[in-house]
Amino acid sequence: MRLVSIQHCVPGMILAKDIYDESGVILIAKGMELTPRFIRRMSQMGVTHLFVIDDATEGIEPLETVSLEVRKEVMSAIHDSLDSLLIEEPWRNKVQRPAELHKRLLQSVHLIIDELKTQPTTLLMLGNIYVTDHELYKHSYQVMLYSLALGFRMGYNDQELAEQGLGAIFHDVGKQMIPSEILNKPGKLTEEEFQLVQQHTWTGFQILRKQPELSLLVAHCALQHHERIDGSGYPRQLLEEDIQPYAQVVAIADVYDALTSNRVYRGAMLPHEAYEILLAGSGKLFNPKMIEVFHKTISMYPIGMSVRLSTGELGVVVDVHSNIPERPVIRVLYDANGEPYCKICERDLSKQLHVMIEEVDVPLPFSN
C-alpha cells in the first residue's frame, strides 16, 4: 500500500485501510473506490493522507503503535473524563469528578504504557486514519501518546508515566472556557483575544487542582505547558529550572501535535517538518535533551510515504530505524529518468550515507 497526500489523491484509487471515527468505529471500509466527493469530504474533515492500494508497493504495511481495542477504550475514557469537566457554571461551583472515572482513566493510561512496553521500539508511526468531530479529544489523546513515548524513552517508571499521561490528557482542559469562535478563528487574533486564549492555562490549573484524585503535578501540566525554558512563554515567563519536567515534556508533545494537525489558519505539516521547528527551538524554547530523545521517538518519514532521493530516484519508505529515524529504508520504484525498475530495489539510507531524501510526498504513477 501507498500513503498518499489528500491533495494527490485522484478518483479511481482504492482505499487500502479502514477509516475510523475517534472511538474506533469504522466509518469507511477499505476497498472503497475514491470519488471526487469522497476526496473533498475527507479533506474537509481534516484528513491529510490516505493509504491506497498500489501493486508496486504490495506488502508495505505500517505498524500500529497502539492496538485498535486499546485506542477505543482510551478514547472513550478521555471523552467521558473531559466531558465530566465541561463547565456550564464557573469552575468553583462545579461538582467534583467521580473517583471511579479517574480510576478508569488511570487504567486506560496504563494500557498505553503496557502497549509501549511490548513494542520492539517506541518509535511512533502513522498507522490507521481517524477523523473526529471534537479536536480536543483527539489532541488530548495524541499529546498523551507522544508524552508517554517520550517519557518512556527517558526512563520514567510506571508511576511517573501514569502521572505524565494524566497531565497530558488534561493539559488543555481550560480551553473549554474559551469561545469556539476565538479558538477556531482563521485570522490573526487580536491582543485581547490572545490574552483570553492564554488564560486557559490558569483556568485549567484551577479546575484540576480542585480534583482530589489528581496530583498538583498533573495540574501543573495545564499551567506550564506554554512556558519556555528561556522565559519567553506564558503565563508566568518561567525559566527552565522553574518549569516542572512533566510540563516540559507535554510542551514538546503539544507543539508537535499542533504542527502535524490541520488548523483553520494552516494545513498540517509532515513529521520531519514539525521536528525541524522543534529542533530550531532546542536549547532556547525546549529542553535540548528532551528534543534529542524525541527525535528517536517519532517516525519522521512514515512507512508508505513517497520520496525523491538525491540520486533522482523515486520510491517509498518501507522501514525505519529507531536509532536513526531520519535514515529509513526506501523501496526505489523509478530511476532518475522516471523509468520503472523491473526488479524490487531497496536502499537502506543508514548504510548509504551519500544518499539523501530531497523531497517527500511526491506524486508517483500507480500500478493496479
Side-chain angles (χ1 to χ4, degrees), residues 73 76-77 80 99-109:
E73 171 55 30
S76 176
D80 292 346
E100 58 269 20
L101 194 58
H102 167 71
K103 181 179 180 181
R104 180 190 172 201
L105 188 62
L106 189 59
Q107 290 172 339
S108 296
V109 172

Side-chain angles (χ1 to χ4, degrees), residues 106-158:
L106 189 59
Q107 290 172 339
S108 296
V109 172
H110 278 289
L111 288 176
I112 298 289
I113 295 171
D114 291 341
E115 292 266 303
L116 292 175
K117 288 179 179 179
T118 62
Q119 298 291 327
T121 72
T122 51
L123 199 64
L124 299 184
M125 304 182 189
L126 177 62
N128 288 323
I129 305 296
Y130 296 87
V131 297
T132 179
D133 291 327
H134 201 305
E135 182 59 34
L136 180 60
Y137 302 143
K138 177 186 175 184
H139 181 60
S140 298
Y141 172 85
Q142 291 293 127
V143 172
M144 175 205 61
L145 185 58
Y146 294 138
S147 296
L148 287 178
L150 176 52
F152 186 82
R153 281 258 186 176
M154 291 174 60
Y156 287 3
N157 61 39
D158 283 9

Side-chain angles (χ1 to χ4, degrees), residues 188-250:
K188 184 178 180 180
L189 297 178
T190 65
E191 182 62 31
E192 182 180 355
E193 289 169 338
F194 184 58
Q195 290 179 1
L196 182 60
V197 170
Q198 288 183 323
Q199 290 177 16
H200 82 275
T201 55
W202 279 111
T203 303
F205 175 73
Q206 298 288 11
I207 294 169
L208 297 174
R209 76 183 186 92
K210 294 296 183 180
Q211 306 301 317
E213 67 275 12
L214 296 177
S215 74
L216 275 178
L217 293 178
V218 171
H220 273 83
C221 287
L223 179 62
Q224 297 181 349
H225 69 280
H226 281 289
E227 299 286 0
R228 299 296 180 253
I229 65 174
D230 65 350
S232 63
Y234 66 84
R236 293 189 291 169
Q237 295 77 50
L238 299 178
L239 294 173
E240 179 174 9
E241 58 270 21
D242 298 317
I243 305 172
Q244 210 282 325
Y246 292 167
Q248 294 187 43
V249 169
V250 171

Side-chain angles (χ1 to χ4, degrees), residues 22 52-53 97 147 157 179 199 253 343:
E22 63 192 22
V52 298
I53 293 174
R97 205 158 43 92
S147 296
N157 61 39
Q199 290 177 16
K343 296 182 180 180

